[in-house]
Amino acid sequence: MSQEMNVMEPVAKPSPRPRGWARWRFLTLFGAVLVALAGLRTITGQDMLTDAGTINTTITFAVPIGLAALGGLWAERAGIINIGLEGMMILGTWFGAYFAWSTDNPWMGLLAGVLAGMAGGLLHAVATVTFAVDHIVSGVAINILMLGAMRYLSILVYADVPGAGAAQSPMAPSFPVWDLPFVARALGPVADSGVFLVADLASLVVGVTTHMPALTVVAILMIPLSYLVLWRTTFGLRLRSVGENPDAAESLGVPVYSLKYVAVIVSGGLAGMGGVFLSVVASQIYQEGQTGGRGYIGLAAMIFGNWRPGGLAMGAGLFGYTDALQVRGGGEAVHALLLLLAVALLGVALWQVRRDRKGLAAFGVLVSVLLFAWFFSTDSLPRELATYSPHVTTLLVLSLASQRLRPPASVGKQWRASRS
């Protein structure tokens, strides 16, 4: 008589991360990036890499991308892919500029733009949640529809308005600009000294405390607010459970349909706020096509950030920085980044050797050598390539970050309530 015994070995659980681990990781990464840019500035002599103007312009370019990314985060945490962020931003640009101009009040423009974006989100929610339309199809349809609809409204409203027309609105009033002038006076000489890291840190402080439009401050506050709501409240826990396992959420009494609607409507409102920023803050005028694909770049920033508010903020900052650099410094400033990218790829290749991934390591070394050769054999990038550096950065970042991504489990899946 034999007896079979199954011995279950205890599964080793990963050691819990200490409290504040993510915060320290973020600070370490931020410090490493600052040191790298300071060293690059010292080596190449491109002061524009870290000066206060570049920092300020980076924030200006990063805000609409970050708001679009936050919109994508809210929707996808509830299981809905929102490709229609671009169209909702277009709604925000038109209605924000129109109401700011017609009421001579930028805050009324902000309210109108957010409500218009929310209306676009509601349309997407009706299509995807109620009628189970494919999320991608619905989003693309919204983008196409809103572009044509806003042109029609422009023709209808601005036909007899001087200085306006089918493709643009009149000049709109902008938001008040806040700054701390004593900071610039105190740290300006330090920033101009050129001392390694000290001057760069002073430029950073000056850049984030001067010439800051009120809407920029409101937009930046949306990041910690979204984190607190989604990760520190019961409402946020329920909303995220809808994106992970709607069947389990429904069995616990969570209103799945309602939360999906709320998430997509909030998503549209955030995208609409990004549109208001473009038309009322960045240019003080609505222009056809001024979103420039920022809704799609926002989605890329959200994916880069692994569906987390802090991560998408870093992604938006990265895309905003490359955009600011090519606008302020042109091909020469962006050219300096080739050296940083070559060194970074060489470091990644050495890390892959340690992990016994020789194929990836060899590829990384090859690309790094090519970038070194490109940097030392040229003085500037072609204007056309520098102009599209943010889009190239998007592709590079997504390809390098794809291995560590963890999207919500049920994102993009059609769901229907179980029938009892």
Side-chain angles (χ1 to χ4, degrees):
M1 186 174 182
S2 63
Q3 182 179 9
E4 182 180 351
M5 298 181 64
N6 292 325
V7 180
M8 298 292 293
E9 295 184 359
V11 179
K13 295 182 179 180
S15 58
R17 292 169 177 170
R19 179 180 292 272
W21 178 84
R23 186 184 305 113
W24 282 110
R25 185 180 66 168
F26 172 78
L27 291 175
T28 301
L29 179 61
F30 175 78
V33 170
L34 183 60
V35 170
L37 289 177
L40 189 64
R41 175 189 63 81
T42 304
I43 293 171
T44 61
Q46 288 289 337
D47 293 336
M48 200 168 292
L49 290 170
T50 59
D51 69 8
T54 298
I55 302 301
N56 201 272
T57 308
T58 294
I59 296 174
T60 300
F61 285 134
V63 163
I65 295 173
L67 287 171
L70 270 182
L73 173 73
W74 273 81
E76 297 206 7
R77 278 294 176 178
I80 305 296
I81 299 175
N82 193 357
I83 295 292
L85 289 168
E86 182 81 4
M88 297 167 198
M89 289 186 77
I90 293 173
L91 281 171
T93 58
W94 197 93
F95 282 94
Y98 172 74
F99 278 90
W101 164 70
S102 60
T103 64
D104 199 30
N105 187 339
W107 296 103
M108 290 300 297
L110 173 62
L111 177 62
V114 170
L115 291 176
M118 293 173 71
L122 177 61
L123 178 61
H124 188 52
V126 169
T128 57
V129 179
T130 301
F131 294 105
V133 175
D134 182 87
H135 300 184
I136 307 298
V137 172
S138 173
V140 172
I142 287 174
N143 292 340
I144 297 173
L145 176 64
M146 296 312 162
L147 184 62
M150 294 310 100
R151 184 173 183 84
Y152 172 74
L153 282 178
S154 295
I155 295 173
L156 196 65
V157 173
Y158 298 133
D160 300 324
V161 177
Q168 69 177 39
S169 71
M171 188 71 69
S174 189
F175 290 87
V177 176
W178 298 335
D179 58 15
L180 299 174
F182 62 88
V183 175
R185 288 196 297 269
L187 295 181
V190 180
D192 296 335
S193 66
V195 178
F196 171 73
L197 195 57
V198 176
D200 306 283
L201 187 58
S203 295
L204 175 65
V205 175
V206 172
V208 299
T209 57
T210 56
H211 305 296
M212 194 69 65
L215 183 55
T216 301
V217 179
V218 173
I220 292 174
L221 291 176
M222 291 295 105
I223 296 173
L225 180 62
S226 294
Y227 171 76
L228 292 175
V229 172
L230 292 177
W231 271 270
R232 289 294 183 265
T233 65
T234 303
F235 166 80
L237 176 62
R238 291 175 177 174
L239 188 145
R240 288 185 292 117
S241 71
V242 167
E244 295 291 343
N245 193 331
D247 292 318
E250 184 196 30
S251 69
L252 296 175
V254 175
V256 176
Y257 282 135
S258 298
L259 287 176
K260 285 180 179 286
Y261 262 86
V262 169
V264 181
I265 291 172
V266 172
S267 172
L270 289 168
M273 185 184 295
V276 175
F277 185 91
L278 287 172
S279 61
V280 181
V281 176
S283 61
Q284 289 188 261
I285 190 173
Y286 162 78
Q287 290 179 312
E288 188 175 69
Q290 71 186 141
T291 54
R294 287 177 175 84
Y296 301 108
I297 298 178
L299 280 176
M302 177 202 67
I303 296 171
F304 167 81
N306 209 7
W307 289 264
R308 302 280 296 193
L312 68 84
M314 289 190 293
L318 173 64
F319 302 135
Y321 179 74
T322 54
D323 211 356
L325 209 57
Q326 65 89 13
V327 168
R328 298 191 75 241
E332 292 184 358
V334 180
H335 177 264
L337 293 181
L338 290 177
L339 180 60
L340 181 61
L341 182 59
V343 173
L345 282 176
L346 189 59
V348 171
L350 294 176
W351 175 253
Q352 295 300 335
V353 170
R354 291 188 58 184
R355 302 182 66 182
D356 201 26
R357 295 179 177 177
K358 297 179 180 179
L360 288 175
F363 178 75
V365 170
L366 175 62
V367 176
S368 179
V369 169
L370 292 175
L371 288 175
F372 275 120
W374 189 3
F375 174 79
F376 287 110
S377 62
T378 58
D379 295 325
S380 177
L381 289 184
R383 182 177 57 85
E384 296 80 9
L385 185 57
T387 301
Y388 285 97
S389 58
H391 303 82
V392 175
T393 303
T394 303
L395 295 175
L396 287 175
V397 164
L398 289 181
S399 61
L400 292 175
S402 61
Q403 301 300 318
R404 63 174 183 84
L405 299 180
R406 196 272 180 193
S410 296
V411 66
K413 298 178 180 178
Q414 305 293 351
W415 181 83
R416 282 289 172 264
S418 60
R419 304 298 181 185
S420 56

